[in-house]
Amino acid sequence: MNKKIDVALIYKKSYNYFQPEHFDRTSYDFFFNALKRNERLNISYHPCEKKFDISKIKNKCDVILLPNNRTDGSPDVLIDIKNSNIPVVSRTGDPHDAKKYNQTEFCEINKIDCLFSNHPDSYIYKYYPKKIKHKTIIYGLEPELYQNVPTFKTRIKNRILITGKMGRTDLRNRIANYILNPGRSGWYLYKLRTLCTKLNYVEYRGMKGKKYVDEDYPTYTSKYRAIIAATTFYPTLKYWENAAAGCLTFMEITKKNDGYFLGYKDNETAIFIDEKNYKEKFQQYINDPDNPKWEKIANAGREYTMNNLTNDTAVNELVKLMRELIK
């Protein structure tokens, strides 16, 4: 049996997503819960400020893990990393922010051996040079939160739910964003998602402040039979969260967002939509919501997700990556 991997998670104490009161628990659940559950890892936690001297962990760890390749979550500098043979692995956030936050330079300064993220390579390498290694690891779904969901037949059936950030559809705003905020506006990143809200049978309430009204996300989504996950350039956590909630999930899967890597199959574990067919696909459901095929697809999507796309599966993939780096 392989020896456990000793992993040092080094992070800034002030990192917003690691604070107990923060509304988004995705990062905390992955780094502080899922990693510790894995029997092949020994995790040590090293909160710090702007700098971390790796002499503190010399001969005490096999791998250094960073929460991201940005200075909001990771120290600006790992002191003496250039003279170290300890592999460094880091999660990365949205690739289109790489230039804004000097993330390529961060990788070079801190000698990062490999990045991992939910994104396909096709999107990563639009913004990162090929010399930076990347592995797609689909993390974020904490299985415990989705163990008990209502049965499909008891849910709201005459509405299709949609959640998340939206864009502005008025022409003046779109032109302004095109000039002042190119490649970053809601309309640019979530065009189909935004268009869906214009349909009278689509339910969209957004968030009040920084959370859903009186409910956590799994409880909110699992009240509905059908839900939409739509992002223009890459799939997001909502895709597998929605499926895990037992919803019939309409997923924007296209060549542009390269979402096929998630492993869902059209009309088997999800319903694939795009800007040309989404109204037709929705109408097929709305016109016949009690058709048993919808429940069959929803249940198959949930089963696939819980078996393949949870944090525990993601940590297993991370362990494989670490094993490769320390050979």
Side-chain angles (χ1 to χ4, degrees), residues 40-238:
R40 293 176 290 174
L41 297 178
N42 281 325
I43 306 295
S44 59
Y45 294 89
H46 303 272
C48 61
E49 295 298 341
K50 290 189 175 183
K51 298 179 180 180
F52 183 86
D53 189 342
I54 64 166
S55 66
K56 296 178 181 179
I57 56 173
K58 189 176 181 180
N59 301 321
K60 296 180 181 178
C61 76
D62 301 307
V63 176
I64 291 172
L65 179 63
L66 301 177
N68 63 7
N69 58 332
R70 274 180 56 179
T71 56
D72 65 330
S74 300
D76 300 21
V77 178
L78 297 175
I79 297 173
D80 206 32
I81 191 63
K82 295 295 184 182
N83 299 314
S84 168
N85 292 321
I86 305 173
V88 182
V89 177
S90 176
R91 182 184 61 164
T92 185
D94 293 333
H96 50 263
D97 284 335
K99 185 176 180 180
K100 179 180 179 181
Y101 295 111
N102 300 314
Q103 289 170 292
T104 297
E105 291 82 351
F106 184 95
C107 292
E108 295 169 351
I109 291 170
N110 292 294
K111 200 180 170 185
I112 292 175
D113 292 271
C114 191
L115 296 173
F116 73 93
S117 74
N118 286 327
H119 303 98
D121 284 346
S122 57
Y123 196 63
I124 288 288
Y125 291 118
K126 286 177 65 175
Y127 301 96
Y128 285 93
K130 288 289 180 68
K131 65 181 179 181
I132 292 180
K133 294 181 181 179
H134 170 261
K135 180 179 178 67
T136 300
I137 296 178
I138 304 168
Y139 68 89
L141 181 69
E142 191 65 359
E144 182 182 358
L145 301 177
Y146 292 85
Q147 289 302 317
N148 300 304
V149 297
T151 60
F152 191 81
K153 289 183 173 63
T154 63
R155 303 180 183 205
I156 297 168
K157 67 179 183 179
N158 60 349
R159 306 283 288 171
I160 303 176
L161 183 64
I162 193 167
T163 66
K165 294 180 181 178
M166 299 292 167
R168 294 271 298 274
T169 56
D170 55 288
L171 185 59
R172 179 179 294 181
N173 183 273
R174 286 162 52 188
I175 292 173
N177 272 305
Y178 181 80
I179 297 170
L180 302 174
N181 193 28
R184 296 183 55 79
S185 71
W187 176 254
Y188 180 78
L189 295 171
Y190 312 117
K191 181 181 177 182
L192 179 54
R193 184 192 296 180
T194 303
L195 291 172
C196 289
T197 63
K198 306 303 177 183
L199 301 172
N200 60 12
Y201 49 77
V202 170
E203 181 83 14
Y204 177 67
R205 288 193 291 160
M207 300 177 75
K208 186 175 182 180
K210 292 186 175 180
K211 61 181 180 180
Y212 293 96
V213 181
D214 300 323
E215 295 170 312
D216 56 75
Y217 192 73
T219 301
Y220 179 47
T221 54
S222 62
K223 287 185 174 183
Y224 293 79
R225 289 187 182 180
I227 195 168
I228 300 162
T231 47
T232 306
F233 295 102
Y234 55 90
T236 60
L237 177 59
K238 289 184 185 298

Side-chain angles (χ1 to χ4, degrees), residues 245-261:
C247 302
L248 173 69
T249 306
F250 292 95
M251 297 182 179
E252 182 178 15
I253 302 285
T254 65
K255 290 182 179 179
K256 184 181 287 187
N257 73 14
D258 202 10
Y260 303 98
F261 73 93

